[in-house]
Amino acid sequence: METCRTVSMCTPLEEVQGTHVFDILGYSKHRGMGHDENSHIESAIFSVRGHDWAIFFFPDGFEFSVEGSISVFLVLLSNNTKVRASYDMRLLDQYTGLSSSVQKIEPRIFDSGDIDMFAPQTTYFTRHGEIEGSAYLRDDRLTIECVVTVFKKPHVTKTKSFPNIDMPPANMTKHVAKLLEEKKGFDVSFIVAGEIIEAHRFVLAMRSPVFKAELYGSMREARPGQCITIKDIGEETGMVRPLVVAADRYAMDRLKLVCQSILCEDLNKDTVATTLALANQHNCQQLKEACLQFIELSDFMDAVVATQHLKHLS
């Protein structure tokens, strides 16, 4: 069976990062501006990957924010634009010059002209008490550092054929058949109806749990080189019927089913009686059902039932 595997790949997202530092001098003098949408200080416009942004700082919080808190927003100012971006809003330690993250959002869509032009969707940034008296505020100066990352659309490669190495077909059956044809390595013999048949012990054990027990287990009948006499198998006429007997005796279920299929195809008024008897004797349930269906559908049912083998069905 031919198989075809193809592959495509989504490459890592290309991203452009920009940082804007917004210095707020005279922090305490901006308190008391109110909470409405106009009560904010807006940073200068800065650009990241061709998109215009600004920071909106609400000293007293925006609208229904927590009392005594500050609100800070990143706003997309470019018109008719949708852009996927993330940001990290940080406060600068005025003594060490190092910044610490206060508010961070994962990549999301900013849509100009819509509520989605703002981020975050919460009004809380931090409390006055966490700034005043801290290292973030020195000489009445507060510094906000905003790191904006803009993501380009992902690039997907063209479909290509996946590397493939064809698997060779199984050839164990061919090798075993050749071994039998060359008649090499036989290590057990059977006498069936006066005829000597040589075989390989491991093949028999592999195909039949009964042979496995007789040749290798506690039921072992023969050592290498010895003969085993198989009785009561050659008495049935025809080639297939003895195989049914052997397959049943040595638990070779697949062989038994193959034989049932052949005998089913050969059913007629002359064979159905003996075939049904064989099926009953050797636990061939499917063949037994086929025989009974054949008898039921046949015009000569009475004649068949009257035979010696089927008198009990009258």
Side-chain angles (χ1 to χ4, degrees):
M1 178 180 67
E2 287 189 15
T3 59
C4 179
R5 297 177 65 197
T6 56
V7 61
S8 61
M9 182 186 302
C10 177
T11 60
L13 290 176
E14 294 184 42
E15 54 187 64
V16 177
Q17 192 172 85
T19 302
H20 183 75
V21 177
F22 185 24
D23 262 331
I24 302 169
L25 305 179
Y27 161 82
S28 62
K29 296 179 175 60
H30 298 297
R31 296 283 300 276
M33 291 181 64
H35 305 282
D36 61 35
E37 62 182 19
N38 296 316
S39 302
H40 69 276
I41 303 169
E42 185 175 333
S43 74
I45 297 173
F46 60 95
S47 180
V48 180
R49 196 178 174 265
H51 302 287
D52 292 336
W53 309 84
I55 299 170
F56 284 14
F57 172 66
F58 291 78
D60 298 317
F62 176 59
E63 292 189 342
F64 305 107
S65 59
V66 176
E67 184 69 26
S69 66
I70 293 171
S71 299
V72 179
F73 298 94
L74 174 66
V75 184
L76 174 66
L77 298 180
S78 298
N79 294 323
N80 303 316
T81 301
K82 285 186 179 182
V83 58
R84 187 164 177 263
S86 65
Y87 78 75
D88 185 8
M89 202 72 75
R90 310 172 70 87
L91 288 178
L92 185 73
D93 187 313
Q94 301 292 340
Y95 294 91
T96 65
L98 302 175
S99 61
S100 300
S101 178
V102 177
Q103 193 173 70
K104 183 185 292 187
I105 66 162
E106 297 299 320
R108 48 152 289 186
I109 297 295
F110 286 79
D111 187 355
S112 62
D114 188 89
I115 187 64
D116 288 331
M117 67 187 291
F118 293 89
Q121 299 299 312
T122 176
T123 60
Y124 180 80
F125 180 68
T126 189
R127 289 181 177 273
H128 294 136
E130 295 176 354
I131 292 178
E132 297 164 4
S134 74
Y136 298 130
L137 191 64
R138 183 181 183 185
D139 299 330
D140 212 22
R141 176 182 181 178
L142 180 68
T143 302
I144 299 174
E145 183 180 277
C146 182
V147 181
V148 180
T149 304
V150 176
F151 298 92
K152 295 182 179 180
K153 290 183 178 181
H155 173 69
V156 178
T157 63
K158 293 182 178 180
T159 299
K160 298 180 180 179
S161 295
F162 198 85
N164 182 57
I165 299 175
D166 291 334
M167 187 181 297
N171 55 9
M172 182 177 177
T173 302
K174 179 181 178 181
H175 289 161
V176 172
K178 185 177 180 181
L179 190 66
L180 294 174
E181 290 175 1
E182 293 176 349
K183 297 183 178 181
K184 293 181 178 179
F186 292 137
D187 55 2
V188 66
S189 300
F190 295 90
I191 299 177
V192 182
E195 182 181 352
I196 296 178
I197 300 175
E198 294 184 297
H200 300 91
R201 298 162 65 92
F202 81 94
V203 175
L204 295 172
M206 180 175 63
R207 300 296 290 172
S208 165
V210 177
F211 273 132
K212 182 178 180 180
E214 289 188 357
L215 298 173
Y216 292 103
S218 58
M219 295 170 59
R220 184 167 56 233
E221 290 188 9
R223 294 184 297 275
Q226 287 187 321
C227 286
I228 299 176
T229 300
I230 306 295
K231 300 178 180 179
D232 304 325
I233 284 184
E235 297 174 1
E236 297 281 356
T237 58
M239 294 181 61
V240 178
R241 296 172 187 275
L243 286 178
V244 172
V245 180
D248 181 45
R249 175 180 297 181
Y250 294 104
M252 302 176 74
D253 294 334
R254 187 177 184 280
L255 175 61
K256 187 175 178 181
L257 194 57
V258 169
C259 293
Q260 290 183 72
S261 177
I262 295 173
L263 291 173
C264 180
E265 293 179 1
D266 189 48
L267 285 178
N268 57 55
K269 65 179 181 179
D270 298 321
T271 63
V272 66
T274 55
T275 301
L276 179 56
L278 179 70
N280 274 321
Q281 184 178 358
H282 297 289
N283 304 307
C284 300
Q285 186 61 32
Q286 294 186 50
L287 182 59
K288 177 181 177 181
E289 292 175 0
C291 290
L292 294 175
Q293 291 176 15
F294 179 85
I295 294 171
E296 183 179 353
L297 296 174
S298 299
D299 295 335
F300 46 86
M301 183 172 66
D302 292 339
V304 173
V305 170
T307 66
Q308 180 179 355
H309 297 281
L310 303 178
K311 287 181 180 179
H312 63 285
L313 293 179
S314 300

